[in-house]
Amino acid sequence: MTEIYPTIAQCAIVATAFKVLLFPAYKSTDFEVHRNWLAITNSLSPWEWYYEKTSEWTLDYPPFFAYFEWTLSQVAKLVDPAMLRVYNLEYDSWQTVYFQRFTVIITEFALLYTLQLFVESSHGVTRRAAQAAAISIFLSPGLLIIDHIHFQYNGAMYGVLILSLVLARQRSGLLASGFVFAALLCMKHIYLYLAPAYFVYLLRTYCLSPKSIFRIQFLNCLKLASGILGIFGLAFGPFAIKGQIPQILSRLFPFSRGLCHAYWAPNVWAMYSFVDRVSIVVAPRLGLPIKMEAVNSVTRGLVGDTAFAVLPEITPRMCFALTLLFQVIPLVKLFFRPNWDAFIGAVTLCGYSSFLFGWHVHEKAILLVIIPFSLIALKDRRHLSAFRPLAVSGHVSLFPLLYTPAEFPIKTVYTIFWLVLFLMVFDRMAPASNRTRFFLFDRFTILYIAISIPLIVYCSLLHPIIFGKSYEFLPLMFMSSYSAVGVVGSWIGFMVVYFTS
């Protein structure tokens, strides 16, 4: 088969060289989080992992990720044993920094491998489009900002997710797809957001007969259920024997946190919070009551409960109900039309719903939407028109994660270059749709993208010059609210595309 250039491997070599240059760059508290987890898993017995609280950055990922950290720690002790001391808080020798940065690059090769599998599973004209999508994911500004500067291991885990999605493309891979996704849930529980789409798709294509939904394939059900239970048993079983499941669950699901994160993730609640802030000014003229204790709570959500000054309070139950409602809607179509494209669309829409309506959502969770959507963004021009505002808003919303001046040119130039390059390439490669495109939505996208540049300039450069250290939350509020408009607009556009395709 003719090779398509540039290959994913060629792009990976160049990208890796660039990422190595970022080793001395800014690192967030997540760097200390993972250093502490290396120390916990290496120095203590597994029965102490989820009780240890010397550091405020306690272990709050499922057991498979703890085993992953333990594996890394076996190499870490050869590099700098001091990083593995639990009481050695905030330890960041250059050996520790370089080791942890290097492990992100090495483990990200899981993503490289599965993206190559995705390309190889595509045929004909779609293969070239699949390669463009795969390269765009591997070079994603989101992964660069979150993993290689801010510091996390998302690349490796999205590699596992894409492996699961690719396996689901063939009927022979459905069982393995379910097992791989179950293992992913035991690594990072945020992927539970996508689980409803997997449940419906595997139920319809593997557990029920293709000829009739009323004919159950009991052997397939047994194999799938026993395999998934076995994987969860391997992860959680030893802790269940010790009676530690309640403690683990309290770490994984800390509902005591507020509705919004310290920096509002660009979702419906960011828009709701923005309206609440504006309402404080308008309310006295309209005779609306104001809760004075909430007026100064502009950075709500870091800890404790979220408080609104004018608008009604939002509860976890409301978030759960809205999330479930907007997940069920696309799942109905998936149940009755269980093909792979519909499955990826449903996974994407489950990610949208959880991100837009979830409780205490982190801005980094936008990758749950961007990455699966990228796999089908080039299906036709209607899909691409819904993807564009997401690509802009999702990546721009990550800028506040890197607030130091040295990283401003890196995040800005790299993201703009990626957006210009790939949106132009996607625009040339996406085939015309056999259905009518939305004229107003296309114009909204153009206007939305045009606004992004002056907004970035103001929030990153002009605001500190004009106001100094005053109104520090204002740029964050503008950035988050702007990004929320793009994500919500993209979600509405893709919902229409999904149900009319």
Side-chain angles (χ1 to χ4, degrees), residues 430-442:
S433 173
N434 56 6
R435 292 182 178 270
T436 306
R437 290 168 65 189
F438 305 105
F439 176 82
L440 290 178
F441 190 75
D442 287 343

Side-chain angles (χ1 to χ4, degrees), residues 27-48:
K27 58 187 185 298
S28 73
T29 53
D30 278 343
F31 180 88
E32 170 61 15
V33 168
H34 288 279
R35 187 216 58 81
N36 186 52
W37 292 359
L38 287 172
I40 289 173
T41 55
N42 182 265
S43 305
L44 306 175
S45 73
W47 323 128
E48 299 176 86

Side-chain angles (χ1 to χ4, degrees), residues 22-27 31 35 79-80 83 90-104 148-149 151 153:
L22 296 176
F23 277 14
Y26 160 82
K27 58 187 185 298
F31 180 88
R35 187 216 58 81
V79 177
D80 185 357
M83 78 172 84
E90 305 296 334
Y91 184 76
D92 63 348
S93 68
W94 72 264
Q95 294 96 329
T96 301
V97 172
Y98 278 51
F99 170 76
Q100 290 193 238
R101 295 284 197 198
F102 187 69
T103 59
V104 174
H148 298 280
I149 303 179
F151 195 85
Y153 290 95

Side-chain angles (χ1 to χ4, degrees), residues 263-264 266 393 395-400 411 448 452 455-460 473-485:
Y263 160 55
W264 302 343
S393 59
H395 290 119
V396 168
S397 72
L398 299 173
F399 280 14
K411 68 182 181 183
Y448 183 82
S452 65
L455 180 72
I456 293 170
V457 171
Y458 171 77
C459 292
S460 301
F473 194 68
L474 200 59
L476 298 177
M477 184 173 67
F478 286 157
M479 189 76 77
S480 181
S481 301
Y482 164 82
S483 300
V485 171

Side-chain angles (χ1 to χ4, degrees), residues 392-455:
V392 175
S393 59
H395 290 119
V396 168
S397 72
L398 299 173
F399 280 14
L401 290 174
L402 307 180
Y403 54 85
T404 51
E407 278 66 43
F408 173 75
I410 298 174
K411 68 182 181 183
T412 306
V413 174
Y414 187 89
T415 301
I416 291 176
F417 177 78
W418 185 93
L419 288 170
V420 171
L421 174 62
F422 283 103
L423 291 184
M424 287 180 61
V425 170
F426 284 8
D427 191 62
R428 292 184 178 186
M429 298 186 72
S433 173
N434 56 6
R435 292 182 178 270
T436 306
R437 290 168 65 189
F438 305 105
F439 176 82
L440 290 178
F441 190 75
D442 287 343
R443 294 301 175 268
F444 159 78
T445 301
I446 293 172
L447 177 62
Y448 183 82
I449 294 174
I451 294 174
S452 65
I453 301 301
L455 180 72

Side-chain angles (χ1 to χ4, degrees), residues 71-394:
T71 303
L72 295 180
S73 74
Q74 302 310 301
V75 182
K77 63 186 178 184
L78 303 176
V79 177
D80 185 357
M83 78 172 84
L84 301 178
R85 296 169 188 160
V86 174
Y87 292 93
N88 211 357
L89 303 182
E90 305 296 334
Y91 184 76
D92 63 348
S93 68
W94 72 264
Q95 294 96 329
T96 301
V97 172
Y98 278 51
F99 170 76
Q100 290 193 238
R101 295 284 197 198
F102 187 69
T103 59
V104 174
I105 290 178
I106 292 299
T107 56
E108 195 178 51
F109 279 97
L111 176 63
L112 183 71
Y113 172 72
T114 56
L115 287 173
Q116 185 61 46
L117 291 181
F118 166 65
V119 174
E120 292 173 359
S121 70
S122 306
H123 304 284
V125 178
T126 60
R127 183 180 173 88
R128 183 177 293 274
Q131 179 139 324
I135 292 173
S136 77
I137 292 172
F138 193 79
L139 300 181
S140 165
L143 291 176
L144 183 82
I145 291 172
I146 297 173
D147 283 8
H148 298 280
I149 303 179
H150 189 268
F151 195 85
Q152 280 190 354
Y153 290 95
N154 290 286
M157 286 181 283
Y158 278 107
V160 179
L161 174 65
I162 292 175
L163 174 61
S164 177
L165 296 175
V166 171
L167 288 170
R169 204 165 193 173
Q170 301 293 332
R171 183 168 180 81
S172 59
L174 290 173
L175 183 62
S177 173
F179 291 169
V180 170
F181 185 70
L184 180 61
L185 293 179
C186 293
M187 285 194 73
K188 192 170 183 178
H189 51 300
I190 194 173
Y191 294 99
L192 276 171
Y193 289 157
L194 312 181
Y198 273 87
F199 175 80
V200 171
Y201 187 65
L202 292 175
L203 171 68
R204 185 66 180 85
T205 58
Y206 190 74
C207 296
L208 301 180
S209 171
K211 298 179 180 179
S212 172
I213 61 174
F214 301 104
R215 187 180 302 170
I216 301 174
Q217 302 188 93
F218 288 102
L219 181 59
N220 285 358
C221 292
L222 181 62
K223 289 190 290 186
L224 182 63
S226 59
I228 291 175
L229 288 175
I231 291 168
F232 275 87
L234 188 63
F236 292 93
F239 299 95
I241 293 172
K242 293 288 186 176
Q244 295 187 1
I245 297 301
Q247 173 65 17
I248 293 177
L249 293 178
S250 70
R251 288 283 183 88
L252 300 185
F253 304 101
F255 285 107
S256 60
R257 296 175 181 175
L259 171 66
C260 297
H261 195 241
Y263 160 55
W264 302 343
N267 59 12
V268 168
W269 307 128
M271 300 170 72
Y272 191 84
S273 299
F274 179 78
V275 172
D276 183 68
R277 294 291 96 187
V278 174
S279 298
I280 294 174
V281 179
V282 179
R285 301 177 184 179
L286 300 178
L288 298 175
I290 299 177
K291 302 172 189 173
M292 297 308 298
E293 66 275 12
V295 170
N296 296 322
S297 180
V298 292
T299 56
R300 308 185 298 276
L302 183 59
V303 292
D305 295 329
T306 297
F308 292 103
V310 179
L311 298 180
E313 299 295 343
I314 303 298
T315 66
R317 288 185 179 181
M318 293 179 186
C319 293
F320 178 78
L322 287 170
T323 300
L324 185 62
L325 170 65
F326 287 107
Q327 285 188 338
V328 166
I329 293 172
L331 295 180
V332 172
K333 177 183 175 179
L334 178 63
F335 184 82
F336 289 104
R337 296 186 61 185
N339 58 70
W340 190 77
D341 283 348
F343 171 53
I344 301 301
V347 167
T348 301
L349 287 169
C350 282
Y352 266 119
S353 301
S354 303
F355 184 82
L356 290 174
F357 301 102
W359 179 269
H360 196 78
V361 175
H362 286 242
E363 64 284 344
K364 291 167 280 191
I366 193 61
L367 293 183
L368 281 173
V369 186
I370 294 176
I371 288 180
F373 199 167
S374 298
L375 301 180
I376 55 173
L378 286 169
K379 183 179 179 181
D380 60 38
R381 300 191 73 81
R382 295 170 84 239
H383 282 73
L384 180 58
S385 68
F387 179 76
R388 280 197 200 99
L390 173 69
V392 175
S393 59

